[in-house]
Amino acid sequence: MKFCSNCKATVELRVPEGDTLPRYVCLACNIIHYQNPKMVVGCIPEWEDKILLCRRAIEPRSGWWTLPAGFMENNETLAEAAARETLEEACARVAIGSLYTIYSLPHISQVYLLFRARLLDLDFKPGIESLEVALFAEHEIPWNEMAFRVIHDPLKRYFQERSRGSIGFHMGVIDHPHKACN
Amino acid sequence: MKFCSNCKATVELRVPEGDTLPRYVCLACNIIHYQNPKMVVGCIPEWEDKILLCRRAIEPRSGWWTLPAGFMENNETLAEAAARETLEEACARVAIGSLYTIYSLPHISQVYLLFRARLLDLDFKPGIESLEVALFAEHEIPWNEMAFRVIHDPLKRYFQERSRGSIGFHMGVIDHPHKACN
């Protein structure tokens, strides 16, 4: 950030009076431009024993597999965000269930939330951000081609818990950069 | 938003190609300035049968009671945010426990997360954003002077569940403006 979005004067990075962290402050109108973490919201769409995955058509990790998920928008609820992302990325309709995992990713200032979900029909296809969309049984999941650890780890856990017959809620922290997971 | 924070040219609100929602787009450098919901993170600090509340020294709802909570900062985890806000608003040290409630507030584009927490000592006092900080047993809580419904409702539920001996996890939506709750 170089300029004030309110008056186009130059901003400087400094700790405002009464604050504890450096913020972008306008040198002319004194507005403080706060920057805060964003939420990425998605789901684990289930059809019988299979899960719907999307192969990414966009960076980062273009060509790798992921669950439908994306940045939450203003004026929507968490469940609405998860359903919207699934419709956008997989053209798929889901009934959103309970929250399954919530991960803090402090190194990239994101909080990642995944819901359980039930796929409502098989009329899915790739949205513009996906190359391919398909259903996978556990043994068919391309574990070594998963785009993000924050997708890989909850999905691995989901199958383990499902096989034990007890699917819970989990909170965690992933504090290192994106990498393939195995 | 009127000007581009990257190049100070004028921005316009339009739907970018391949997108579905209007965004602020720079007319000169074409950067898209996304705006997303923010997280407010706090806790329910418990000491024996009492809960620590803060009387707000700042707007909105200055003079009204609340739990320690505030905007999550970049590069921290959810639990770190809850502990930091409690230290800032009540100068109180807590051990953060499990996540208790997560509420979507779509009308103000916020997601509100409250953790269970154990107060570690009685050496608390008002931080600069609080007029007063005090411990309350259930029958002492100023229910009609609570600042926000998103504080009132989870706290009410917390006492009900605690008295039944089963404190769970709850997700909800509050989709109308701030108001006193009773």
Side-chain angles (χ1 to χ4, degrees), chain A residues 14-23, chain B residues 73 84 88 128:
Chain A
R14 65 172 169 85
V15 180
E17 194 186 324
D19 204 337
T20 54
L21 291 173
R23 315 282 183 187
Chain B
E73 299 283 4
R84 176 186 51 72
E88 285 179 10
I128 55 166

Side-chain angles (χ1 to χ4, degrees), chain A residues 1-11 26 29 31 33, chain B residues 1-13 24-29 31-33 35:
Chain A
M1 186 179 298
K2 300 176 203 159
F3 305 103
C4 177
S5 56
N6 182 56
C7 77
K8 74 180 179 183
T10 302
V11 295
C26 178
C29 74
I31 279 186
H33 297 281
Chain B
M1 186 178 298
K2 299 175 203 159
F3 305 103
C4 177
S5 56
N6 181 56
C7 77
K8 75 179 177 183
T10 302
V11 295
E12 70 169 2
L13 194 62
Y24 289 103
V25 182
C26 177
L27 293 173
C29 75
I31 279 185
I32 302 171
H33 298 280
Q35 295 183 313

Side-chain angles (χ1 to χ4, degrees), chain A:
Chain A
M1 186 179 298
K2 300 176 203 159
F3 305 103
C4 177
S5 56
N6 182 56
C7 77
K8 74 180 179 183
T10 302
V11 295
E12 69 169 1
L13 193 62
R14 65 172 169 85
V15 180
E17 194 186 324
D19 204 337
T20 54
L21 291 173
R23 315 282 183 187
Y24 288 103
V25 183
C26 178
L27 293 173
C29 74
N30 292 313
I31 279 186
I32 302 170
H33 297 281
Y34 294 96
Q35 296 183 312
N36 299 90
K38 292 179 193 290
M39 282 164 282
V40 178
V41 186
C43 71
I44 305 177
E46 199 164 18
W47 178 272
E48 296 171 354
D49 67 331
K50 297 188 173 184
I51 299 299
L52 191 74
L53 296 181
C54 307
R55 201 152 70 84
R56 293 173 62 83
I58 55 169
E59 293 298 341
R61 311 289 289 169
S62 181
W64 296 64
W65 290 91
T66 190
L67 290 164
F71 288 109
M72 187 176 180
E73 300 283 4
N74 280 350
N75 303 122
E76 66 183 357
T77 68
L78 287 165
E80 287 168 352
R84 177 186 50 73
E85 286 291 340
T86 308
L87 189 61
E88 286 178 10
E89 299 188 355
C91 303
R93 285 142 298 281
V94 285
I96 296 294
S98 59
L99 186 61
Y100 181 55
T101 55
I102 176 166
Y103 275 86
S104 298
L105 284 68
H107 62 291
I108 51 172
S109 297
Q110 288 181 5
V111 171
Y112 222 99
L113 303 105
L114 290 175
F115 285 84
R116 298 183 63 184
R118 188 169 48 85
L119 193 58
L120 295 178
D121 58 63
L122 293 177
D123 186 23
F124 55 78
K125 63 181 183 184
I128 56 166
E129 296 183 359
S130 302
L131 296 170
E132 195 178 344
V133 176
L135 283 169
F136 293 89
E138 181 176 6
H139 69 278
E140 298 166 331
I141 300 263
W143 292 110
N144 293 323
E145 296 166 42
M146 297 299 285
F148 308 113
R149 190 177 150 206
V150 74
I151 296 293
H152 174 282
D153 290 7
L155 191 57
K156 199 87 185 174
R157 184 190 180 94
Y158 184 79
F159 281 114
Q160 287 165 353
E161 292 189 349
R162 196 177 69 170
S163 70
R164 288 201 304 266
S166 170
I167 299 178
F169 165 70
H170 181 64
M171 191 165 64
V173 176
I174 291 179
D175 57 4
H176 60 70
H178 299 160
K179 62 170 188 179
C181 318
N182 40 42

Side-chain angles (χ1 to χ4, degrees), chain B residues 28 39 77 102 112 160:
Chain B
M39 282 163 281
T77 67
I102 176 165
Y112 222 98
Q160 289 166 351

